[in-house]
Amino acid sequence: MAQFWKPGSEKPRAVILDDEEGGVLFFSAAPSISGYGYASLERQRQRLPVFKHRTAILYLVESHATTIIVGETGSGKTTQIPQYLKEAGWAEGGRMVACTQPRRLAVQSVATRVAEEMGVKLGEEVGYTIRFEDITTPGVTMIKFLTDGVLLREMMNDPLLTKYRKKRQEQASENCAPSTQPAILSVEGQGFVVEISYLEEPAPDYLQAAVSTVLSIHDQEPMGDILVFLTGQDDIDAAVQLLTENAQKRGKHSSGMLVLPLYSGLSRADQDLVFSPMPKGKRKVVISTNIAETSLTLEGVVYVVDSGFSKQRFYNPITNIENLVVAPISKASAKQRAGRAGRVRPGKCFRLYTEEYFVKEMPAEGIPEMQRSNLVSSVIQLKALGIDNILGFDWLASPSPESMIRALEVLYSLGVLDEDAKLTSPTGFQVAEIPLDPMISKMILSSNELGCSEEIIIIAAILSIQSIWVSGRGSQKELDEARLRFAVAEEIWGGLVTWALLLVCNEVVFKAVEPYFENVWESTIRFVKD
Ligand code: CDP
Ligand code: MG
């Protein structure tokens, strides 16, 4: 078992700090949820910090064009405020209340929760829309959860978002026009003290360290669920397997532990399991990506194990390559992760790194996603929304000039933008309308002329998802077998055909793209021919 410094022991100082130096984090106390019982949904709703501000929120929304509500994760912003608005009549007359979330999994999970709280069937009064999945009923759905991306797409057809908004201010009668000044309301945090421990020595392998930390919490600490932050499906599945095997080996003693993965791309059944309460005496261990950091709240978590890493997107505009890499998190993330342990009662956070590393090396803030991403999709969306002057656009975090230039170059080579950087018609508008990477959209459009749409659409589908392999719990064996089926000798030809098709479709794209790809293409062709 890895060694942790416990607050109260000699080293490190168990300082009580509310800044970024670690030690013990304090949150303002809130009425305790007794034991591990799950209160009725209505009682749970009333206990959330936003509930006290219900009237104020409704007043501000009525009297201001924009209202900003600030509150800690789990205070009820996402699940409660849309319900308050609906109760106050904002979803009447055929309008809807829209609530966006950054991730698909978060959309599905909160929509399910709100439907449950309102006692309605998901897809009726409460629904959701994510890319390629629309669980709403026109004329019936009043609260709709959706990803930011889907809302942006809706804006292309309906720039004023008339489905959701009251009359715009200029159309409203003068004397009851809401103030144009935004209103800001801060909702106090809900949470308890979280004790933080660090590793004495850096861990050579964070996966092993996480597994042994979970086992020792399970052995030594009182009941309460454990939330472990790892980075992605691979290391999460590995940790789940190691812990499950260990529990089986130790027999009875560890049977009180249920280990569950949490990442986007999980089946609905597995998602539901993560959010469902445990039977008395059983401890839930959720091994998650950073999705549980801000977008999702797990009730009942008392212990957090923080690997100090997350998977982050990094785009290099020089090489035009976007990578998902395991990178160290920031102090802000570490603090947010720790806070997940103090939701139902005082909790503990085990950081799988040293205090010295935290204080001296961990960056204070992460790099904004806008500065780590390929801008091709953002630029085409802005253009499609009629925002032509993207160089003068008021970004929250300005992207680098290199990324911007590279995005314009790629879009120009695809024939999506013309020499004046205006969207071309029809290609530019068509590409903008397809909710895929613009390279893939162009590939699909070009396949029509080349008479290979069927094959290209299959390839586009495969290229547009994270993994083509989905497995339910306990079906690892079937998954391996399914994979193996693609490995038998005669299937290798099938594989080669797919690969060749991939090259052909890339040719469609590359042909349209700048000559700088040409060398690469030539050598690939030569390689294939040889
Ligand atoms: O948006 P915000 O982070 O402020 O909180 P929320 O997502 O509205 O969650 C409020 C509360 O609802 C959480 O603290 C959980 O107790 C509960 N919740 C849940 O039990 N299951 C979900 N799938 C979502 C929320
Ligand atoms: Mg939220």
Side-chain angles (χ1 to χ4, degrees), residues 41-284:
L41 282 179
E42 197 48 43
R43 296 267 321 266
Q44 282 183 36
R45 285 191 67 191
Q46 291 176 4
R47 278 193 190 122
L48 291 171
V50 293
F51 181 71
K52 271 187 265 153
H53 303 273
R54 187 180 183 279
T55 320
I57 292 169
L58 290 175
Y59 168 75
L60 290 174
V61 171
E62 196 72 47
S63 54
H64 293 73
T66 310
T67 303
I68 299 169
I69 299 163
V70 186
E72 247 185 62
T73 308
S75 52
K77 301 180 297 295
T78 306
T79 55
Q80 305 308 304
I81 296 173
Q83 293 187 67
Y84 301 164
L85 292 172
K86 188 221 142 223
E87 287 155 12
W90 282 84
E92 265 148 38
R95 284 194 308 262
M96 273 189 284
V97 175
C99 179
T100 68
Q101 294 288 296
R103 302 265 176 272
R104 295 159 61 91
L105 177 60
V107 169
Q108 292 173 319
S109 144
V110 289
T112 309
R113 169 74 183 189
V114 171
E116 192 189 342
E117 287 184 7
M118 286 171 54
V120 299
K121 196 164 161 258
L122 185 64
E124 292 179 1
E125 282 91 337
V126 181
Y128 70 84
T129 309
I130 55 182
R131 194 167 64 142
F132 306 133
E133 197 177 338
D134 184 11
I135 312 290
T136 60
T137 314
V140 176
T141 301
M142 298 172 109
I143 298 179
K144 170 163 137 183
F145 291 92
L146 68 174
T147 52
D148 308 335
V150 168
L151 188 71
L152 273 172
R153 271 184 192 279
E154 290 188 354
M155 280 171 80
M156 287 184 193
N157 292 328
D158 179 12
L160 295 182
L161 292 173
T162 46
K163 279 190 268 193
Y164 308 111
R165 302 191 59 131
K166 272 220 272 209
K167 275 188 194 151
R168 286 223 144 188
Q169 206 211 323
E170 53 270 22
Q171 296 158 343
S173 75
E174 292 236 323
N175 45 4
C176 65
S179 159
T180 50
Q181 281 290 325
I184 303 183
L185 176 74
S186 236
V187 174
E188 81 277 22
Q190 182 192 38
F192 299 85
V193 181
V194 176
E195 236 182 66
I196 291 174
S197 314
Y198 294 92
L199 279 185
E200 217 170 311
E201 294 292 331
D205 176 348
Y206 68 82
L207 187 68
Q208 281 299 337
V211 167
S212 60
T213 304
V214 168
L215 291 173
S216 89
I217 294 171
H218 186 57
D219 281 344
Q220 294 160 17
E221 301 283 349
M223 283 310 282
D225 295 345
I226 306 174
L227 173 61
V228 183
F229 286 101
L230 292 183
T231 68
Q233 183 169 352
D234 290 351
D235 59 6
I236 290 172
D237 284 342
V240 170
Q241 200 175 348
L242 283 172
L243 281 166
T244 313
E245 278 169 15
N246 196 289
Q248 279 162 0
K249 236 185 273 157
R250 303 201 307 173
K252 248 196 217 150
H253 176 69
S254 284
S255 61
M257 186 165 81
L258 180 65
V259 189
L260 301 168
L262 178 60
Y263 44 77
S264 43
L266 214 56
S267 72
R268 280 312 295 274
D270 281 352
Q271 277 180 39
D272 293 346
L273 210 54
V274 167
F275 290 100
S276 56
M278 285 289 96
K280 234 184 146 146
K282 239 195 177 354
R283 197 198 290 274
K284 180 154 66 180

Side-chain angles (χ1 to χ4, degrees), residues 1 65 78 130 164 211 214 239 258 295 354 370 402 420 457 501 512:
M1 160 63 193
T78 306
I130 55 182
Y164 308 111
V211 167
V214 168
L258 180 65
S295 310
T354 64
M370 192 42 90
E402 290 83 5
D420 302 322
I457 282 171
L501 271 170

Side-chain angles (χ1 to χ4, degrees), residues 431-494:
V431 168
E433 215 164 295
I434 303 175
L436 294 172
D437 181 299
M439 283 230 189
I440 295 180
S441 309
K442 176 67 193 282
M443 173 177 91
I444 292 174
L445 291 171
S446 309
S447 72
N448 185 29
E449 292 146 35
L450 298 170
C452 54
S453 295
E454 207 168 311
E455 292 83 353
I456 290 299
I457 282 171
I458 294 170
I459 293 165
I462 292 174
L463 291 175
S464 302
I465 52 170
Q466 271 179 4
S467 165
I468 57 166
W469 302 103
V470 180
S471 80
R473 278 173 61 72
S475 52
Q476 187 62 36
K477 199 163 153 264
E478 284 91 329
L479 176 66
D480 290 342
E481 282 167 10
R483 277 195 178 138
L484 215 61
R485 253 178 270 141
F486 284 84
V488 292
E490 44 289 18
E491 288 288 352
I492 289 175
W493 286 108

